[in-house]
Amino acid sequence: MAELNTDLLIIGGGVTGLCTAYLCRKKNIDCTLIESQETLGKKWRLAGGAMGNMTNRTISPEHYVSHNSKQAKKLLQTLFKSWTTEHVLAFMHEMDMEYEERDFGQIFCKKPVKNLIGTLVQSLAKTRILTNEKIQSFSCEQKDPKKHYIIQTKTHTIRCGKLVIATGSSAYPQLGASDFALQVARKWGHKTFPFRSALAPLLLPEHSPLLGLEGISLPVRMKSFRDGQEKADPCGIRALLFTHTGLSGPAGLVISCLWKDGETISINFLPEDNLLEKMHDTANGKKLVKNLILPLMPDRLAYTLMPKDLQERKIAELSKKDRERLIASIQNYQFIPKGIDTFKKAEACIGGIELDGVTANLESKLHENLYFGGECLDITGLLGGYNIHFALACAHKIASKI
């Protein structure tokens, strides 16, 4: 059993862990990084279809969710004040990675993000990195005047004065993801929220008319609501994709972050059209309902949504109630999801370490020199590069404090 002493130990070789190590190395801090998997940045390598959606032109707290929205907003404002989109672009330049901007302000690597990760790891050549290290136990001891943290793996006993936990969430367990950070936080007195899937497909209820439409994709506007309170994607209209079991695509993934069990989902399948106006247009009066709707969306979806008793009716013959029914079925389609798909299909998680337990520098309020960063905190970004930006911002904040 090897004994190892280090000033700083970082647990987790993802975005936050690797970038904290990189920034601390630039400050000549004695640093050790351990990762439970053989490959560093395993999940990061898959981000953005392997092209790494690194950040967004619009970085603000409204693109994040948390159980403690007030505290999250305060913390995010602090992080984003010192770590902006331009900082991410500068970091990408340091890693010799060009970028491209796509819709909704999303910024991706021009080459697979594994190239950026490879350059980053090369820059850590003088940093002690231990991979395939499964943690068996963790503890802390008070040695005046400061605490020391002790991490036990199968091959090492590691003692450190400063500890960073950046092990992510339970999303993608097939890549080694777990709730390890929550286990540590709870043992050492922090409150936590259990992880649940986010940025994952919504599951349709059994016998839903929308089942059987897999493969169809179209732009929609979605919202989740209950008791008069609504939550909607701040980016507005996004593409929805029907799957064998539910709703995916950017629109479905974003709403999975906002939706809570039992809430109703509303979908506007024609968000850029005014159906009522089209029906009031005298030029459409002699058209059959189906002939008005079919050119506007895929046939299979149109026939599923249109009330069957209205499909062969002429627009001019529709009563006010009929028109309201048609509009509701297409521009305000409502249902309560069965749930959200499993961790295996989730890109992120809702939940994590309660924000009241950490400072603006992401240091534990209960234990000096203990830091939490990235997805293990109770902050989740919506689709669009927000989670990687948050992870990088955490790394910058922690490294600046250390």
Side-chain angles (χ1 to χ4, degrees), residues 3 12 27 153 239 249 382:
E3 295 276 344
K27 296 170 66 176
T153 73
L382 306 181

Side-chain angles (χ1 to χ4, degrees), residues 106-167:
Q106 300 174 97
I107 293 175
F108 288 78
C109 299
K110 273 197 172 182
K111 295 179 180 179
V113 70
K114 67 180 181 181
N115 296 319
L116 183 153
I117 297 170
T119 303
L120 178 57
V121 172
Q122 285 178 11
S123 73
L124 294 172
K126 295 183 180 180
T127 297
R128 197 180 296 108
I129 298 178
L130 306 175
T131 58
N132 204 25
E133 287 283 351
K134 304 293 192 296
I135 294 175
Q136 297 180 332
S137 66
F138 48 89
S139 60
C140 62
E141 61 183 14
Q142 185 72 44
K143 282 193 173 182
D144 292 336
K146 296 181 178 180
K147 288 182 179 178
H148 279 230
Y149 298 96
I150 306 161
I151 304 298
Q152 182 77 54
T153 73
K154 189 176 181 180
T155 58
H156 289 80
T157 298
I158 307 173
R159 294 175 181 270
C160 62
K162 297 178 181 179
L163 177 62
V164 176
I165 306 293
T167 53

Side-chain angles (χ1 to χ4, degrees), residues 1-21:
M1 181 69 66
E3 295 276 344
L4 177 60
N5 292 307
T6 184
D7 290 341
L8 169 65
L9 175 63
I10 300 170
I11 303 179
V15 180
T16 301
L18 284 172
C19 292
T20 301

